[in-house]
Amino acid sequence: MSSPRGQFSSKTGFILAASGSAVGLGNIWGFPTNAAENGGGAFVLIYFVLAFCLAYPALMAELIIGRHTRSNMVSALQKISTGEMARKVGKYTGFFGVIIATLILSFYSIVAGWMLAFLLEPLSTITGLSEVSDWLTEFGNTRNLIFSAVFMIFTTAVISAGVEQGIEKWSCRLMPSMLLLMVCLIVYVMFQEGALTGLKVYLLPDFRQIGDPQLIASAMGQAFFSLSLGVGTMLIYGSYLGPDENLPAMGAIVTLVDSSIAFLAGLLVLPALFVAQQQGVTIYSEAGNLIAGPDLIFQTLPALFHGMGAIGIPVGLVFFCLMTIAALTSSISMLEVPVSYTIENHRIGRPTSAWLIGTIIFIFSGFIVLNFDTLFNFTVTLTTEYSQPLLGLMLCIFATWVWHRDKMLAEIRSGYPQVEQSLFWKIWPSYVRFCCPALILLMFVQGVLN
Ligand code: PHE
């Protein structure tokens, strides 16, 4: 059944779309490198605890508000507020979410553009176009602009096709392909010399680091970014869910898929690093830390692929294809946030809205590209480290302090009447009311002070 504002046609459609939003560059790149930098297994352990004890409850707040209000974040927070003051705060919080989603997409599309460029590189190598290969892999404004534009065109095309025909259809195609590519790569890398050392670095916990505030702050930031929280992506996806779906179960599945794929990505990236070391590639920086950041993806791994000889070409191709797909299923969810807002609150048609906002975001990306040294890291830190946790905090507050408790409980019951006998019912409302805001605030302050 399709409603005028769009709806996912099936459970699987929603699960793949929401997991697609969650699984992105944050999982395949951010998670393994964060783990490598923060005590390997210790980080993995803390991450899993935080993902289920902090990010999952916050995700539920978004899904519940979204499905109840059936609207974008700006209207949703207003709808669940009773007083004049609360409605105002709701409106501005919603706006802030829309702006942060837009800004995240402006830097995300640049990085995704690099993935596209590196995806094409093996093709130019095969055809002997070495100048093209160099252009594709060297940092330059023209390349960055062209590829972030191409990536934005893909993203916008999917969003302009709508919820069922765009988001759901493409998530159902892309997510299984991504998983398949990933499993193939893991199997291949595991059989290479050096892989076991990487596996040890990844999985053996360094327990001395487990209480390290830096580790905990990184794990929280990673969990919020990875589950796409705070900026209204999960809220809007929740609003496209039917009233007869079991929300706590849906949210749990999405959290599980997201964490499992992050875990799998670690099984790929860290062993690959140590395979590269076996081949003579430097994998430690001068300060003695494992190479993380962009160098890992755009220098160390490509060096590994080159060192593999002929097989390195398809392996590199598959790797960057995986990265591009992961980025695309996330970027569409980011674009849906401002697009749903303009469709619903300004009555602009979906295609016009999508292409208009897609263009505006590309202009933002252009600014970042042309002022890369000043703007790139600034935008990443501002949006993901500061804004996302704070917005997540606001959403927990709206769900449990501002919204009428009975209405909130009725929404959880919808689609799952037996919920009243479950642990979720007993714990979640007070947990999100007291513990989540306190924990988020505590870790946020600690992170800022650090
Ligand atoms: N979750 C995505 C990732 O891991 C990023 C994202 C953030 C998506 C915010 C939507 C909103 O890469």
Side-chain angles (χ1 to χ4, degrees), residues 186-369:
I186 293 174
V187 171
Y188 178 77
V189 167
M190 280 301 169
F191 283 103
Q192 308 302 306
E193 213 175 315
L196 279 185
T197 319
L199 209 55
K200 279 190 199 138
V201 169
Y202 178 39
L203 294 179
L204 290 183
D206 176 356
F207 283 112
R208 282 165 311 174
Q209 290 199 34
I210 228 159
D212 180 358
Q214 175 60 37
L215 181 153
I216 299 180
S218 308
M220 182 181 76
Q222 178 64 35
F224 269 77
F225 184 71
S226 189
L227 270 176
S228 314
L229 294 180
V231 292
T233 44
M234 289 303 182
L235 190 151
I236 195 74
Y237 277 14
S239 81
Y240 299 139
L241 255 180
D244 41 5
E245 304 296 354
N246 174 345
L247 283 184
M250 295 284 207
I253 296 175
V254 172
T255 311
L256 193 66
V257 171
D258 182 52
S259 321
S260 312
I261 295 194
F263 181 75
L264 278 183
L267 292 181
L268 169 65
V269 173
L270 287 168
L273 259 183
F274 285 84
V275 173
Q277 190 185 35
Q278 279 288 322
Q279 299 188 354
V281 180
T282 320
I283 65 165
Y284 285 98
S285 66
E286 276 174 17
N289 301 321
L290 265 183
I291 287 180
D295 287 353
L296 165 71
I297 302 290
F298 301 112
Q299 279 175 11
T300 316
L301 293 183
L304 165 69
F305 304 144
H306 276 288
M308 287 174 162
I311 184 82
I313 293 181
V315 173
L317 196 90
V318 169
F319 178 77
F320 285 105
C321 191
L322 168 79
M323 291 301 242
T324 308
I325 295 179
L328 186 60
T329 53
S330 296
S331 66
I332 56 179
S333 73
M334 295 174 204
L335 183 59
E336 182 63 13
V337 173
V339 168
S340 61
Y341 165 71
T342 48
I343 294 175
E344 290 171 11
N345 295 31
H346 297 282
R347 312 236 161 266
I348 304 177
R350 179 171 277 276
T352 317
S353 193
W355 289 103
L356 186 73
I357 294 176
T359 311
I360 295 176
I361 292 179
F362 174 66
I363 295 174
F364 285 167
S365 307
F367 268 117
I368 300 179
V369 166

